Amino acid sequence: MTKETIKTADAKLTVYLNGPSWDGVPAATFGDFSCKTPDAGAEILFKGVERVQDAGLDRIIGPMSGDTWHSYRFVSDSDGSAPFLMEPTNKLHEPGVFQSAGFTEISRYFSARVPLRTAAGSAPPETDGIVVEEWDGTDPEALFRQVFKLSTRAFSNNAFYTPISETDFLAMYMPVVPMMKRDLILFARRRDGTLAGFLFGIPNYAEGPNPNSAILKTYASLEPGAGRHLAHRFHKTAFSMGYETAIHALIHDDNTSAERSAAEGATIFRRYSLLGRKLNG
């Protein structure tokens, strides 16, 4: 990944020159951004734009640390509650710094919460085509190799998707293994045993060692209906484990998951924006 970090006394920015395509056109991304003041942020964004122009690119996406596998998105609206585990965060003034530099919103996301007592009772129709099972707790590397293979297929049509190597994927997820609960790592399999979907849930340890909420962090499916069965099993299991609330994390506004979250009675508590700028547009 071609990148360069720019620092001043009061700001930092990393410019990634081989970011994802935006409407079919190669784009750079601005990630790892922080600034103490709007003026310091404006100065470093100007320097970043110069680097992108020197590289012959005219589109920039941000904040994004190179791709959607890593940290991206600004918090754009919040109820003021504390960040949950692995949630993106930023200073209140930082989105405005990007907007003042000509960036506009190109994608929207949200997180929502729902009482597990409510969500656990919302069962999907029975089916004999999908079987949901939990991870057996052994060989976490093999677990994430399975997740990697399905993720690359399930997410390949998503906006701003770029491929990642299996080695890089494992390097991202293996450090999380000590925090995982096997009961919240779920697989959906077809009747012939082939993998149709997965769900990665994790306790919200940002609340401390004994959290009240569990995070539905990521799920993906290749079979219609598999995601709904995975989500129901997650809610039911988390409730039986004593968690009170489920967090539906970082959902794209246009994703089918957004409709399911609303149907289950979840309430949005945070919104996020991904911004972009066309330098010659």
Side-chain angles (χ1 to χ4, degrees), residues 182-196:
R182 53 176 285 184
D183 317 66
L184 301 179
I185 309 299
L186 305 172
F187 295 96
R189 297 192 183 277
R190 303 179 184 90
R191 293 181 68 179
D192 62 3
T194 57
L195 192 62

PDB file of all heavy atoms in Angstrom, residues 182-196:
ATOM      1  N   ARG A 182     -17.009 -17.816  21.907  1.00  0.00           N
ATOM      2  CA  ARG A 182     -17.335 -18.768  20.854  1.00  0.00           C
ATOM      3  C   ARG A 182     -18.831 -18.801  20.552  1.00  0.00           C
ATOM      4  O   ARG A 182     -19.240 -19.023  19.413  1.00  0.00           O
ATOM      5  CB  ARG A 182     -16.847 -20.168  21.217  1.00  0.00           C
ATOM      6  CG  ARG A 182     -17.320 -20.669  22.572  1.00  0.00           C
ATOM      7  CD  ARG A 182     -16.893 -22.081  22.848  1.00  0.00           C
ATOM      8  NE  ARG A 182     -17.677 -23.040  22.083  1.00  0.00           N
ATOM      9  CZ  ARG A 182     -17.555 -24.357  22.194  1.00  0.00           C
ATOM     10  NH1 ARG A 182     -16.636 -24.867  23.004  1.00  0.00           N
ATOM     11  NH2 ARG A 182     -18.308 -25.167  21.491  1.00  0.00           N
ATOM     12  N   ASP A 183     -19.649 -18.558  21.566  1.00  0.00           N
ATOM     13  CA  ASP A 183     -21.104 -18.600  21.387  1.00  0.00           C
ATOM     14  C   ASP A 183     -21.609 -17.522  20.431  1.00  0.00           C
ATOM     15  O   ASP A 183     -22.697 -17.655  19.863  1.00  0.00           O
ATOM     16  CB  ASP A 183     -21.816 -18.411  22.735  1.00  0.00           C
ATOM     17  CG  ASP A 183     -21.200 -19.191  23.863  1.00  0.00           C
ATOM     18  OD1 ASP A 183     -20.044 -18.873  24.219  1.00  0.00           O
ATOM     19  OD2 ASP A 183     -21.861 -20.098  24.386  1.00  0.00           O
ATOM     20  N   LEU A 184     -20.821 -16.439  20.270  1.00  0.00           N
ATOM     21  CA  LEU A 184     -21.250 -15.318  19.435  1.00  0.00           C
ATOM     22  C   LEU A 184     -20.572 -15.307  18.066  1.00  0.00           C
ATOM     23  O   LEU A 184     -20.726 -14.353  17.311  1.00  0.00           O
ATOM     24  CB  LEU A 184     -20.972 -13.994  20.165  1.00  0.00           C
ATOM     25  CG  LEU A 184     -21.657 -13.829  21.517  1.00  0.00           C
ATOM     26  CD1 LEU A 184     -21.279 -12.486  22.152  1.00  0.00           C
ATOM     27  CD2 LEU A 184     -23.167 -13.945  21.400  1.00  0.00           C
ATOM     28  N   ILE A 185     -19.830 -16.374  17.750  1.00  0.00           N
ATOM     29  CA  ILE A 185     -19.237 -16.545  16.421  1.00  0.00           C
ATOM     30  C   ILE A 185     -20.036 -17.646  15.734  1.00  0.00           C
ATOM     31  O   ILE A 185     -19.960 -18.815  16.106  1.00  0.00           O
ATOM     32  CB  ILE A 185     -17.749 -16.933  16.502  1.00  0.00           C
ATOM     33  CG1 ILE A 185     -16.985 -15.971  17.427  1.00  0.00           C
ATOM     34  CG2 ILE A 185     -17.140 -16.978  15.114  1.00  0.00           C
ATOM     35  CD1 ILE A 185     -16.983 -14.548  16.990  1.00  0.00           C
ATOM     36  N   LEU A 186     -20.818 -17.262  14.731  1.00  0.00           N
ATOM     37  CA  LEU A 186     -21.817 -18.170  14.175  1.00  0.00           C
ATOM     38  C   LEU A 186     -21.604 -18.408  12.685  1.00  0.00           C
ATOM     39  O   LEU A 186     -21.173 -17.514  11.956  1.00  0.00           O
ATOM     40  CB  LEU A 186     -23.219 -17.594  14.396  1.00  0.00           C
ATOM     41  CG  LEU A 186     -23.594 -17.252  15.851  1.00  0.00           C
ATOM     42  CD1 LEU A 186     -24.913 -16.520  15.899  1.00  0.00           C
ATOM     43  CD2 LEU A 186     -23.635 -18.521  16.694  1.00  0.00           C
ATOM     44  N   PHE A 187     -21.953 -19.627  12.252  1.00  0.00           N
ATOM     45  CA  PHE A 187     -21.876 -19.992  10.845  1.00  0.00           C
ATOM     46  C   PHE A 187     -23.234 -20.505  10.385  1.00  0.00           C
ATOM     47  O   PHE A 187     -23.921 -21.219  11.127  1.00  0.00           O
ATOM     48  CB  PHE A 187     -20.830 -21.097  10.625  1.00  0.00           C
ATOM     49  CG  PHE A 187     -19.431 -20.669  10.925  1.00  0.00           C
ATOM     50  CD1 PHE A 187     -18.856 -20.929  12.162  1.00  0.00           C
ATOM     51  CD2 PHE A 187     -18.681 -19.993   9.973  1.00  0.00           C
ATOM     52  CE1 PHE A 187     -17.557 -20.538  12.444  1.00  0.00           C
ATOM     53  CE2 PHE A 187     -17.384 -19.598  10.239  1.00  0.00           C
ATOM     54  CZ  PHE A 187     -16.819 -19.863  11.473  1.00  0.00           C
ATOM     55  N   ALA A 188     -23.605 -20.129   9.182  1.00  0.00           N
ATOM     56  CA  ALA A 188     -24.801 -20.685   8.542  1.00  0.00           C
ATOM     57  C   ALA A 188     -24.328 -21.631   7.446  1.00  0.00           C
ATOM     58  O   ALA A 188     -23.530 -21.244   6.585  1.00  0.00           O
ATOM     59  CB  ALA A 188     -25.661 -19.574   7.958  1.00  0.00           C
ATOM     60  N   ARG A 189     -24.821 -22.864   7.488  1.00  0.00           N
ATOM     61  CA  ARG A 189     -24.415 -23.853   6.490  1.00  0.00           C
ATOM     62  C   ARG A 189     -25.639 -24.389   5.743  1.00  0.00           C
ATOM     63  O   ARG A 189     -26.717 -24.523   6.306  1.00  0.00           O
ATOM     64  CB  ARG A 189     -23.654 -25.000   7.154  1.00  0.00           C
ATOM     65  CG  ARG A 189     -22.349 -24.544   7.811  1.00  0.00           C
ATOM     66  CD  ARG A 189     -21.469 -25.716   8.209  1.00  0.00           C
ATOM     67  NE  ARG A 189     -20.264 -25.255   8.889  1.00  0.00           N
ATOM     68  CZ  ARG A 189     -19.170 -24.825   8.269  1.00  0.00           C
ATOM     69  NH1 ARG A 189     -19.130 -24.819   6.947  1.00  0.00           N
ATOM     70  NH2 ARG A 189     -18.128 -24.423   8.951  1.00  0.00           N
ATOM     71  N   ARG A 190     -25.411 -24.681   4.479  1.00  0.00           N
ATOM     72  CA  ARG A 190     -26.445 -25.322   3.681  1.00  0.00           C
ATOM     73  C   ARG A 190     -26.561 -26.790   4.089  1.00  0.00           C
ATOM     74  O   ARG A 190     -25.713 -27.315   4.837  1.00  0.00           O
ATOM     75  CB  ARG A 190     -26.107 -25.205   2.199  1.00  0.00           C
ATOM     76  CG  ARG A 190     -25.921 -23.762   1.718  1.00  0.00           C
ATOM     77  CD  ARG A 190     -25.554 -23.737   0.248  1.00  0.00           C
ATOM     78  NE  ARG A 190     -25.272 -22.376  -0.226  1.00  0.00           N
ATOM     79  CZ  ARG A 190     -24.070 -21.799  -0.207  1.00  0.00           C
ATOM     80  NH1 ARG A 190     -23.030 -22.485   0.277  1.00  0.00           N
ATOM     81  NH2 ARG A 190     -23.908 -20.579  -0.653  1.00  0.00           N
ATOM     82  N   ARG A 191     -27.555 -27.466   3.562  1.00  0.00           N
ATOM     83  CA  ARG A 191     -27.775 -28.863   3.949  1.00  0.00           C
ATOM     84  C   ARG A 191     -26.596 -29.756   3.568  1.00  0.00           C
ATOM     85  O   ARG A 191     -26.339 -30.777   4.217  1.00  0.00           O
ATOM     86  CB  ARG A 191     -29.051 -29.385   3.283  1.00  0.00           C
ATOM     87  CG  ARG A 191     -30.304 -28.693   3.810  1.00  0.00           C
ATOM     88  CD  ARG A 191     -31.551 -29.250   3.156  1.00  0.00           C
ATOM     89  NE  ARG A 191     -31.803 -30.636   3.559  1.00  0.00           N
ATOM     90  CZ  ARG A 191     -32.840 -31.354   3.146  1.00  0.00           C
ATOM     91  NH1 ARG A 191     -33.701 -30.829   2.295  1.00  0.00           N
ATOM     92  NH2 ARG A 191     -33.008 -32.595   3.552  1.00  0.00           N
ATOM     93  N   ASP A 192     -25.836 -29.347   2.530  1.00  0.00           N
ATOM     94  CA  ASP A 192     -24.676 -30.157   2.136  1.00  0.00           C
ATOM     95  C   ASP A 192     -23.416 -29.798   2.917  1.00  0.00           C
ATOM     96  O   ASP A 192     -22.331 -30.316   2.651  1.00  0.00           O
ATOM     97  CB  ASP A 192     -24.411 -30.009   0.638  1.00  0.00           C
ATOM     98  CG  ASP A 192     -24.063 -28.573   0.229  1.00  0.00           C
ATOM     99  OD1 ASP A 192     -23.977 -27.697   1.112  1.00  0.00           O
ATOM    100  OD2 ASP A 192     -23.877 -28.337  -0.978  1.00  0.00           O
ATOM    101  N   GLY A 193     -23.553 -28.890   3.906  1.00  0.00           N
ATOM    102  CA  GLY A 193     -22.427 -28.534   4.767  1.00  0.00           C
ATOM    103  C   GLY A 193     -21.611 -27.358   4.295  1.00  0.00           C
ATOM    104  O   GLY A 193     -20.716 -26.890   5.027  1.00  0.00           O
ATOM    105  N   THR A 194     -21.862 -26.859   3.096  1.00  0.00           N
ATOM    106  CA  THR A 194     -21.096 -25.720   2.592  1.00  0.00           C
ATOM    107  C   THR A 194     -21.505 -24.440   3.318  1.00  0.00           C
ATOM    108  O   THR A 194     -22.649 -24.284   3.751  1.00  0.00           O
ATOM    109  CB  THR A 194     -21.292 -25.543   1.079  1.00  0.00           C
ATOM    110  OG1 THR A 194     -22.691 -25.395   0.800  1.00  0.00           O
ATOM    111  CG2 THR A 194     -20.738 -26.737   0.330  1.00  0.00           C
ATOM    112  N   LEU A 195     -20.555 -23.529   3.422  1.00  0.00           N
ATOM    113  CA  LEU A 195     -20.765 -22.307   4.187  1.00  0.00           C
ATOM    114  C   LEU A 195     -21.605 -21.309   3.399  1.00  0.00           C
ATOM    115  O   LEU A 195     -21.298 -20.971   2.253  1.00  0.00           O
ATOM    116  CB  LEU A 195     -19.412 -21.684   4.540  1.00  0.00           C
ATOM    117  CG  LEU A 195     -19.399 -20.551   5.567  1.00  0.00           C
ATOM    118  CD1 LEU A 195     -19.915 -21.034   6.908  1.00  0.00           C
ATOM    119  CD2 LEU A 195     -17.981 -19.997   5.723  1.00  0.00           C
ATOM    120  N   ALA A 196     -22.692 -20.832   4.033  1.00  0.00           N
ATOM    121  CA  ALA A 196     -23.588 -19.869   3.394  1.00  0.00           C
ATOM    122  C   ALA A 196     -23.503 -18.488   4.019  1.00  0.00           C
ATOM    123  O   ALA A 196     -23.957 -17.505   3.427  1.00  0.00           O
ATOM    124  CB  ALA A 196     -25.030 -20.369   3.472  1.00  0.00           C
TER     125      ALA A 196
END
